[in-house]
Amino acid sequence: MTFDTYETLALACLVLLLGYFLVKRVKLLSNFNIPEPVVGGFIVAIVLTVVHEIWGLSFSFDSNLQRTMMLVFFSSIGLSANFARLIKGGKPLVMFLVVAAMLIAIQDTVGIFGSMALGLDPAYGLIAGSVTLTGGHGTGAAWAETLTNDFGISGAMELAMACATFGLVFGGIIGGPVARFLLTRLHKEEVPEDENVDDVQEVFEKPVYRRKVNSRAIIETISMMAVCLLVGQFLDELAKGTAFQLPTFVWCLFTGVILRNTLTLVFKFTAPDQTIDVLGTVGLSIFLAIALMSLKLWELAGLALPVFVILTLQVVVMATFAILVTYRVMGSDYDAVVLSAGHCGFGLGATPTAVANMQAVTAHFGHSHKAFLIVPMVGAFFIDLLNASLLKFFVEVAAYFH
């Protein structure tokens, strides 16, 4: 059965509503910050897999709509990257970017050589590496398409969604224990509740937006996103077959960065950050819903155990890296503990997981202004740029061993 654009959009919205309903009512899902599209999408994918196994029916959805929503999301990431915030973060933010880059390199190295040791194509190791762990569901789904085209592997999309979900769960699980272990070194005691007051005027999880969502802000945001898609597609065609060839979404992201900061710095334009965030989230939600509806889970059967071994190793690597590298590089103090817990969150999962990890620590041991400035900024804005740049190199490495 084939569904056209309108049918695909309608079904994707139903998947999202199912996910919202379940996450709201199942505490386990909300505690681990599992995204609504992932919850609803996986349930639908399982149902469609059962239908396929019993009646032999297969379903296909509009891939153009899925791809457009993916590009909208990554354009929003680029449009959110404000250079002024990078300057505000200063040296600690740059140091944390370096730490994040080191983890990406380690994840991809472990993934590539781990997959080869287990008899898999090294491209599968990239999917079980920074593509889905540091990258998350959106980046995982985007690179799955590229790796399928470049390496001819099967089940890449299904594997990417499974790996990203695994990372999301374990990113939330290990953050607390890592922080507890590091806190024993500091002999840090819990802060009484009346002293645990955060007096920050503006923090990431409760930002003060200068512009509200209205029709003008929406039109301006859609206009900027349209430019990102148009220029991104043009640059993608221009770079094909050259040393600068990258996935289309990376060009859209880069275009967004340049466009946002040019408008802000040169023309003194006040970007509608809240609207960019809202429309980007909508794009990601619809994209993930369609991607997950399209999963062919039966193609994962032969990959499940080897990939699980690699992912388990990645969890150990993340915890060890947070303790031995992130904590020490970031100052070996309380702020470094909170940063390490946050790094576990987005190093395996996503920025919301990182924020949840940090909140769990600061709720008992006091606030950390430094951590709440740096981790969300790196996790939400700069990590996708960094990951895309480093993945270009590791894709070449995987191709060499292919």
Side-chain angles (χ1 to χ4, degrees):
M1 296 181 64
T2 302
F3 297 92
D4 64 20
T5 302
Y6 301 134
E7 292 167 341
T8 300
L9 180 59
L11 289 170
C13 291
L14 290 175
V15 165
L16 293 175
L17 293 174
L18 174 63
Y20 294 146
F21 176 82
L22 292 174
V23 170
K24 186 176 180 180
R25 285 164 176 76
V26 180
K27 191 174 182 180
L28 181 66
L29 297 175
S30 60
N31 286 346
F32 284 112
N33 300 289
I34 306 298
E36 291 88 351
V38 174
V39 175
F42 264 122
I43 290 176
V44 172
I46 291 170
V47 171
L48 296 183
T49 299
V50 172
V51 171
H52 175 270
E53 293 299 314
I54 296 176
W55 290 289
L57 290 176
S58 294
F59 301 86
S60 61
F61 303 92
D62 184 23
S63 58
N64 288 328
L65 177 62
Q66 177 183 337
R67 185 172 181 274
T68 300
M69 291 297 103
M70 176 188 72
L71 297 181
V72 164
F73 165 65
F74 282 102
S75 296
S76 75
I77 293 294
L79 292 170
S80 299
N82 188 348
F83 287 155
R85 292 182 180 177
L86 177 60
I87 296 171
K88 183 180 178 181
K91 182 180 176 181
L93 190 146
V94 175
M95 291 172 60
F96 195 72
L97 277 172
V98 173
V99 169
M102 292 170 60
L103 177 66
I104 290 171
I106 292 172
Q107 285 179 336
D108 288 332
T109 301
V110 169
I112 290 173
F113 290 102
S115 63
M116 291 171 61
L118 293 169
L120 296 177
D121 190 297
Y124 288 117
L126 288 177
I127 295 175
S130 74
V131 167
T132 59
L133 301 181
T134 294
H137 288 86
T139 302
W143 277 97
E145 179 182 352
T146 300
L147 294 174
T148 299
N149 295 334
D150 292 351
F151 293 87
I153 59 177
S154 61
M157 182 67 75
E158 292 78 6
L159 184 63
M161 295 299 99
C163 290
T165 302
F166 179 96
L168 196 67
V169 172
F170 278 87
I173 290 176
I174 70 170
V178 165
R180 284 281 178 180
F181 175 79
L182 292 173
L183 285 167
T184 58
R185 294 185 174 187
L186 292 176
H187 304 290
K188 177 77 173 177
E189 296 182 359
E190 293 195 24
V191 178
E193 187 173 351
D194 58 348
E195 294 181 21
N196 187 19
V197 179
D198 194 338
D199 58 356
V200 182
Q201 296 299 313
E202 181 176 346
V203 291
F204 184 87
E205 65 274 24
K206 293 181 180 178
V208 177
Y209 292 110
R210 287 184 290 170
R211 294 190 58 185
K212 302 298 182 182
V213 177
N214 54 39
S215 59
R216 179 175 175 178
I218 291 173
I219 291 171
E220 290 174 351
T221 302
I222 292 175
S223 299
M224 290 189 291
M225 288 180 171
V227 171
C228 291
L229 269 60
L230 180 63
V231 176
Q233 292 271 38
F234 173 75
L235 293 175
D236 178 58
E237 292 294 328
L238 201 64
K240 279 185 178 177
T242 70
F244 298 99
Q245 182 172 342
L246 291 166
T248 309
F249 77 88
V250 179
W251 289 116
C252 292
L253 193 155
F254 282 145
T255 302
V257 173
I258 300 302
L259 178 61
R260 158 65 186 263
N261 289 280
T262 299
L263 291 173
T264 301
L265 299 175
V266 178
F267 299 98
K268 308 303 179 183
F269 173 72
T270 302
D273 288 318
Q274 188 175 13
T275 309
I276 292 171
D277 178 60
V278 168
L279 294 185
T281 301
V282 170
L284 176 62
S285 298
I286 295 175
F287 162 60
L288 286 178
I290 299 172
L292 288 159
M293 286 193 304
S294 306
L295 294 183
K296 296 178 176 59
L297 296 177
W298 55 89
E299 294 183 358
L300 280 178
L303 298 171
L305 182 59
V307 171
F308 178 76
V309 172
I310 296 173
L311 290 173
T312 302
L313 181 59
Q314 295 282 25
V315 172
V316 175
V317 167
M318 178 71 258
T320 305
F321 186 89
I323 292 170
L324 298 181
V325 180
T326 307
Y327 174 69
R328 293 181 179 181
V329 171
M330 297 312 296
S332 300
D333 54 11
Y334 175 64
D335 286 323
V337 172
V338 183
L339 283 164
S340 299
H343 198 189
C344 290
F346 84 79
L348 288 179
T351 304
T353 308
V355 172
N357 284 353
M358 294 191 298
Q359 287 175 334
V361 178
T362 58
H364 295 284
F365 296 94
H367 55 70
S368 172
H369 301 174
K370 180 178 176 181
F372 274 103
L373 171 67
I374 292 174
V375 170
M377 198 182 303
V378 172
F381 304 139
F382 300 106
I383 197 65
D384 288 300
L385 290 168
L386 194 61
N387 199 15
S389 302
L390 292 174
L391 275 170
K392 174 69 174 175
F393 168 75
F394 282 101
V395 167
E396 296 296 329
V397 174
Y400 178 80
F401 291 105
H402 177 59

